Amino acid sequence: MPDKRVAVIGGGPAGLMAAEVISNAGIAVDVYDAMPSPGRKFLLAGIGGMNITHSEPFEDFLARYREREAQLRPLLESFSPDALREWIHDLGIETFVGSSGRVFPKEMKAAPLLRAWLHRLRASGVTIHTRHRFTGWDQTNALVFETPAGTKRVAADAVVLALGGGSWSRLGSDGAWQTWLAERGVNVKPLLPANCGFEVNWSEHFRSRFAGTPVKPVEASFVNSRGERFSRRGEFIVTGTGIEGSVIYALSAPLRDEILSRGFATIHLDLAPDRGEEQLLESLSKPRGKKTLSEHLRRQAGIHGVKAGLLREGARLEIDNVQLAAYIKATPLTLVGTRPLDEAISSAGGIVFEALDENLMLRRLPGVFAAGEMLDWEAPTGGYLLNACFATGRRAGEGAVRWLRERD
């Protein structure tokens, strides 16, 4: 179909994957991105180590998508973690599995992968237009972009939207598309922070002393108002406004939902996850002599610094050893809000799957497909976010090709 052209709007992983699929089918592709170069959020996400996917058993992998497991299953079966790794290897980038099961490029960076990918895309004929901010459609159904040279209107035979969610808006994903899709009758759920930090009403003493301090190792557990229990071991960081970090991000979805329904959520922190409660009690029951309680906790329970601060933040410690041991194993911490969406690693909400067909085409807008974080799904960090972005981009690209061929 050499006479057809597809516009892919958004130059992140989902958009670029859709562009690759469409170009490989022999169809001309134009990628439009609002930023000065594509893949800005992808590059930033890779600064601390480019976690591309995860190596755990596939059914466990799928379960990370919670309520949207059923909708994402066929997409992830078509472009699984193994398939994603093979695709990366085809770009000349080696990968390895870390001790946690997470998969990384050998160089631990996103830039070499993105460079190789963009080179292959351009070599296949994909045209990339930067500094083109999509603002919707005009009355003739042309795509409208704001560019440094002024307003630009573009006609396309099919469109793939991959505009991202609502986090890190400085990198282009500002969620502005929610308004003009809703105006066209598309069912869009409001965007909410995911993999986010939470607010805690710290005392000024604790905040001034411990903001920026990591807490590790720790096990955080949470039981919601429906009696469902969630727990995760790892670490987090105390901030001036609350807490953030891997163990908190892993629990962010149920914690956020609890705060939305009740106004707060209480987690319990096991500050000594490698020691049982009876073992702690035995150690704490040893004679203290002239030692202060702080010194006794440090010597006998390994509790000092920020962990001792967390103990004191939640309750008075003039309690017996039985209560103290139990408290160390389950220190309560009340979260009173999420941090703003723009600070979150990712977002929840977006275009509901019921508004899409099996090829990710918008039912209300024939010939318009959507992929990536625009869709209503969420997942924890650990490679799950990126793998689903790649998989939905691939499906949207395949859908656009199929739709055009059916009308050729």
Side-chain angles (χ1 to χ4, degrees):
M1 292 177 284
D3 59 329
K4 301 295 184 183
R5 296 196 75 87
V6 177
V8 174
I9 306 175
L16 294 179
M17 180 58 76
E20 178 170 281
V21 170
I22 297 164
S23 179
N24 288 344
I27 301 171
V29 184
D30 291 280
V31 174
Y32 299 91
D33 195 84
M35 303 304 291
S37 59
R40 285 295 183 93
K41 188 173 180 181
F42 182 66
L43 287 173
L44 186 60
I47 287 178
M50 185 75 259
N51 181 198
I52 202 79
T53 187
H54 205 288
S55 64
E56 67 188 341
F58 188 63
E59 290 301 317
D60 294 339
F61 184 88
L62 283 173
R64 306 294 187 180
Y65 298 93
R66 300 178 69 221
E67 291 87 351
R68 290 306 190 183
E69 176 184 344
Q71 289 84 1
L72 289 172
R73 176 183 288 273
L75 284 67
L76 290 164
E77 286 176 341
S78 296
F79 201 60
S80 66
D82 287 342
L84 176 53
R85 291 187 73 184
E86 289 179 14
W87 176 83
I88 294 172
H89 297 162
D90 286 342
L91 284 170
I93 305 295
E94 296 182 43
T95 63
F96 72 95
V97 179
S99 59
S100 64
R102 299 182 178 199
V103 178
F104 302 88
K106 186 177 180 180
E107 296 184 38
M108 294 290 288
K109 296 178 182 178
L113 192 162
L114 183 61
R115 280 197 302 269
W117 192 11
L118 291 173
H119 176 76
R120 187 166 76 180
L121 287 170
R122 290 187 172 107
S124 73
V126 174
T127 303
I128 298 176
H129 308 265
T130 57
R131 301 183 191 274
H132 279 60
R133 183 174 296 279
F134 184 48
T135 59
W137 293 264
D138 68 11
Q139 61 272 23
T140 69
N141 219 34
L143 306 171
V144 181
F145 297 91
E146 294 302 324
T147 78
T151 302
K152 181 177 179 179
R153 288 172 170 78
V154 174
D157 297 292
V159 178
V160 176
L161 300 176
L163 291 159
S167 63
W168 298 6
S169 62
R170 67 189 183 281
L171 301 179
S173 55
D174 58 11
W177 50 266
Q178 297 175 88
T179 300
W180 37 260
L181 279 185
E183 289 173 348
R184 286 183 161 240
V186 178
N187 189 357
V188 178
K189 289 178 64 175
L191 295 177
L192 298 171
N195 293 293
C196 60
F198 291 85
E199 296 182 348
V200 178
N201 291 327
W202 299 127
S203 68
E204 185 54 40
H205 173 76
F206 182 87
R207 177 187 293 107
S208 63
R209 186 172 181 186
F210 294 112
T213 305
V215 182
K216 59 181 179 180
V218 67
E219 181 170 323
S221 60
F222 164 64
V223 178
N224 66 15
S225 53
R226 297 192 298 274
E228 298 169 316
R229 187 178 189 278
F230 307 87
S231 66
R232 185 60 63 94
R233 178 171 171 153
E235 63 182 86
F236 66 87
I237 296 174
V238 172
T239 70
T241 57
I243 54 176
E244 63 179 38
S246 59
V247 73
I248 301 304
Y249 299 154
L251 301 175
S252 65
L255 288 172
R256 179 199 64 226
D257 294 345
E258 185 80 352
I259 291 171
L260 286 173
S261 65
R262 299 186 67 197
F264 69 94
T266 300
I267 61 173
H268 288 85
L269 304 174
D270 183 347
L271 300 177
D274 295 321
R275 303 178 71 175
E277 191 170 329
E278 290 185 5
Q279 184 184 5
L280 274 175
L281 177 58
E282 181 180 349
S283 296
L284 291 169
S285 297
K286 292 179 180 179
R288 196 166 91 184
K290 296 182 179 179
K291 298 184 184 71
T292 64
L293 177 58
S294 294
E295 181 64 13
H296 190 62
L297 280 170
R298 186 185 69 80
R299 286 178 175 271
Q300 301 301 332
I303 301 297
H304 58 94
V306 66
K307 287 189 175 182
L310 286 166
L311 282 175
R312 292 185 171 86
E313 192 73 1
R316 294 168 57 244
L317 296 187
E318 291 76 19
I319 52 180
D320 63 37
N321 289 329
V322 173
Q323 293 173 308
L324 183 56
Y327 188 59
I328 291 171
K329 297 295 289 182
T331 303
L333 187 63
T334 299
L335 314 180
V336 297
T338 60
R339 292 299 296 160
L341 172 60
D342 195 45
E343 295 180 13
I345 292 176
S346 58
S347 55
I351 301 168
V352 302
F353 277 86
E354 293 74 16
L356 304 159
D357 69 9
E358 66 277 7
N359 294 311
L360 302 186
M361 185 174 75
L362 294 166
R363 299 182 188 277
R364 297 296 298 267
L365 300 174
V368 179
F369 301 78
E373 278 196 73
M374 291 185 73
L375 309 185
D376 178 28
W377 61 274
E378 64 178 308
T381 58
Y384 310 103
L385 291 166
L386 274 176
N387 206 140
C389 284
F390 282 113
T392 56
R394 188 177 184 87
R395 177 57 61 89
E398 292 169 343
V401 171
R402 186 175 295 112
W403 189 80
L404 288 172
R405 283 177 175 166
E406 288 172 353
R407 282 150 185 79
D408 195 27

